[in-house]
Amino acid sequence: ESTRASAALGVGHQWNTPSEATSLRLRPSIHVTANVKKGDVVSEDNVRVVRPSGGLKPKYYADVLGQEFSTDLAFGEPLTWSHLK
C-alpha cells in the first residue's frame, strides 16, 4: 500500500521539456535601458522590464530601484544581482 502511494506521489523533481525551454527564454526580465557607470543609482530611467529573459525576474524590479550599479553596463544588457552593490 505505501509503495503505491509513494509511486503515485512521484520523485518531486521537475524538468523542462524542449518546448518549455523556448518559452522560458521569451519571458520578460529586467534590462538596462541606458549606458550606466559604476556607482550610478538604479532608477526607472535606466532599467526596464522587457523581453527576452536573461536578467532578473520582473518581481525584483522594486527591489533593485535605488541600489547602485557595481559595474559599468551598456544599453540592453540584462541586469543580474552581480551588477548591483
Side-chain angles (χ1 to χ4, degrees), residues 1-11:
E1 216 33 64
S2 65
T3 55
R4 287 179 47 194
S6 295
L9 291 174
V11 293

Side-chain angles (χ1 to χ4, degrees), residues 16 19-28 53:
N16 295 329
S19 62
E20 288 172 321
T22 300
S23 175
L24 291 174
R25 285 193 304 270
L26 298 176
R27 290 185 178 173
S53 185

Side-chain angles (χ1 to χ4, degrees), residues 4-6 10 15 25 27 29-30 35 41 49 56 82 85:
R4 287 179 47 194
S6 295
W15 293 273
R25 285 193 304 270
R27 290 185 178 173
S29 65
I30 303 173
N35 294 332
V41 176
V49 175
L56 295 171
S82 65
K85 286 187 176 180

